[in-house]
Amino acid sequence: MKKSLIFLALGSIFATAQAADVSVFGAVDTGLMFSHSKVSGESAENSLTMESSMNETSTFGIAGSEDLGNGMKVAFHLENEFASDSGEMATENKLFDREARITLEGGFGALSLGRMGSISGATGTYDIVYLVGDSFDGGDNNIFGLTAGDVYDNMITYQTPEFAGFQVTGQYSFKNDSANEDGVEGKATADRYAGIAATYTIGNLQTVIAYDQMMFGSKETGANREKDQHNVYLGGNYDFGLLKLFAMGQYVKGARDFAGTEDFFTEWADTNETLQSREGFDGWGLHLGTVMPVAGGDWTVAVYYADGELDDGVSLDAEGIKQADFDVDIKFYGITTRYVYPLSEQASLYAGAGYGERKYDLSTNNSDARVSDSPKEKIGQVYAGLSYVF
């Protein structure tokens, strides 16, 4: 009796799936990476590790849609990222960390609700900025000199129909991370996101211009409130046949992560000192890259350059007492390449290598402060692996 009920339930699920056009999809990507890092004045660190998602992001998902008639359709997309070398979920306490949206489509365009990647997040359905303007669509593992968005909760996205090659996409998140107990959804106390992108395609040319803003939640007011982050992007690509050329320029104001500096405020402070900034980094970045068909596969090359400054840094001791004011100038140079050879329509072998250099110029009004150093970071990577997309 129980077996009959189970088979009946499975039959109902498959029948519904067929009626609603439901599909299972994903990718598994695993390989080996040799990493090298060297900070001036410190010993070099070398490691050989097994890694996931170096070419394709390892994901598992379910997607489906149903035709409602009169040109209307409803669709859903549920996608989880995982580490294929360990089987762990990429994000703790989130089953569908990469995307969890429902969409209504029609002659008016598409309206999506849920968790999804931002226009500058290089992830998911609304991956627009870096898909159009970056040959690696968001950098090559540890080599990436530009500032990107992320995947956010509580997102509403509207995308217009394409008209004469033009299309506009707008997004707003009421609270970027629901697991974060700080802030109230839809209020200024919560971290929120807003962005808009316009694309234009004509022949072999694709272009994008976009703006997005990270609104940092704070209960502070006036001079103590953490300032928002603003990003402007302009990029595109042109397919010459023998190669596809990519280019992008970026301006950022108030960035908390600039040119790979997300660990700056902890990495350059000792155990008794904390570094803080209310305004973040202001700066700009450039990218040039290409994708070329070579010997039956694709060869991708990219260079990145970024230049920025932070001029309101404060160092605090363990008791929260200010020790010094400091400024930071940063420059990043990076070059990277990858070759992908298809074994079949779904399986690929890949290998890549890259080098990056990040130089800090720190100045402070206290010569005894830890931030008086001006370190240089060198980053190297060599990797190879296997991808399977289904």
Side-chain angles (χ1 to χ4, degrees):
M1 181 64 179
K2 290 183 179 180
K3 290 182 178 180
S4 298
L5 290 174
I6 291 172
F7 283 121
L8 181 62
L10 289 173
S12 299
I13 291 172
F14 284 120
T16 303
Q18 290 178 356
D21 190 21
V22 175
S23 61
V24 176
F25 65 93
V28 181
D29 181 303
T30 313
L32 296 175
M33 173 178 282
F34 173 79
S35 299
H36 168 83
S37 63
K38 176 72 169 66
V39 178
S40 54
E42 299 181 11
S43 300
E45 294 185 6
N46 299 310
S47 63
L48 178 63
T49 57
M50 181 175 290
E51 300 289 341
S52 173
S53 306
M54 293 188 291
N55 178 49
E56 299 281 352
T57 303
S58 295
T59 61
F60 180 86
I62 307 169
S65 64
E66 184 176 357
D67 190 345
L68 303 177
N70 298 318
M72 300 284 286
K73 183 172 71 172
V74 64
F76 73 90
H77 185 112
L78 305 173
E79 187 174 357
N80 167 59
E81 182 179 344
F82 64 95
S84 60
D85 57 322
S86 66
E88 295 177 314
M89 289 193 212
T91 306
E92 187 177 0
N93 297 325
K94 287 187 185 292
L95 177 58
F96 299 114
D97 67 322
R98 193 170 172 88
E99 192 161 322
R101 66 169 173 86
I102 188 165
T103 302
L104 183 65
E105 301 177 35
F108 62 89
L111 181 67
S112 296
L113 304 171
R115 176 177 171 82
M116 61 199 87
S118 65
I119 55 173
S120 63
T123 298
T125 302
Y126 298 106
D127 174 11
I128 296 174
V129 171
Y130 286 105
L131 182 66
V132 173
D134 182 3
S135 58
F136 274 104
D137 190 12
D140 180 20
N141 295 293
N142 298 322
I143 309 299
F144 183 46
L146 304 182
T147 298
D150 207 339
V151 182
Y152 301 121
D153 296 348
N154 309 297
M155 184 89 88
I156 180 169
T157 300
Y158 172 66
Q159 189 170 64
T160 69
E162 187 173 333
F163 178 74
F166 286 98
Q167 190 170 50
V168 177
T169 304
Q171 294 185 311
Y172 179 77
S173 167
F174 292 89
K175 185 178 182 181
N176 293 350
D177 186 359
S178 295
N180 183 352
E181 296 180 359
D182 295 333
V184 178
E185 183 177 333
K187 301 290 186 178
T189 54
D191 289 350
R192 294 160 295 139
Y193 168 86
I196 186 168
T199 57
Y200 176 62
T201 303
I202 180 170
N204 294 337
L205 175 67
Q206 290 183 304
T207 62
V208 61
I209 183 170
Y211 164 80
D212 59 11
Q213 178 181 5
M214 285 69 171
M215 294 163 278
F216 299 106
S218 175
K219 295 180 181 179
E220 302 287 348
T221 58
N224 293 323
R225 190 180 187 280
E226 191 173 6
K227 290 191 175 181
D228 296 340
Q229 175 177 332
H230 305 268
N231 307 316
V232 179
Y233 314 84
L234 178 62
N237 66 77
Y238 190 89
D239 192 346
F240 290 93
L242 294 177
L243 60 85
K244 193 172 186 179
L245 185 65
F246 292 78
M248 174 172 286
Q250 176 188 69
Y251 171 76
V252 300
K253 183 176 179 60
R256 302 313 189 271
D257 173 13
F258 179 77
T261 58
E262 67 273 14
D263 296 325
F264 172 80
F265 294 104
T266 56
E267 193 166 316
W268 302 119
D270 61 29
T271 56
N272 298 313
E273 187 178 354
T274 300
L275 308 185
Q276 292 183 352
S277 168
R278 186 176 64 89
E279 298 184 357
F281 287 90
D282 297 344
W284 54 277
L286 294 174
H287 161 71
L288 288 175
T290 185
V291 180
M292 297 174 283
V294 175
D298 288 327
W299 181 30
T300 305
V301 180
V303 293
Y304 299 96
Y305 175 78
D307 190 329
E309 62 179 6
L310 179 152
D311 58 12
D312 75 325
V314 176
S315 65
L316 308 175
D317 65 14
E319 297 179 354
I321 299 175
K322 185 169 78 170
Q323 301 299 297
D325 296 308
F326 68 91
D327 301 332
V328 186
D329 292 326
I330 180 174
K331 290 181 173 59
F332 175 84
Y333 311 84
I335 183 169
T336 189
T337 184
R338 182 192 305 165
Y339 181 71
V340 180
Y341 183 79
L343 301 175
S344 67
E345 291 185 358
Q346 296 170 289
S348 299
L349 282 171
Y350 62 88
Y355 174 81
E357 187 172 298
R358 189 179 296 114
K359 182 179 180 181
Y360 299 92
D361 185 6
L362 289 80
S363 59
T364 178
N365 62 356
N366 184 349
S367 60
D368 295 327
R370 169 68 173 85
V371 295
S372 61
D373 297 341
S374 294
K376 181 187 293 185
E377 288 183 281
K378 297 180 180 180
I379 308 164
Q381 63 182 27
V382 179
Y383 61 89
L386 177 65
S387 301
Y388 189 87
V389 179
F390 59 91

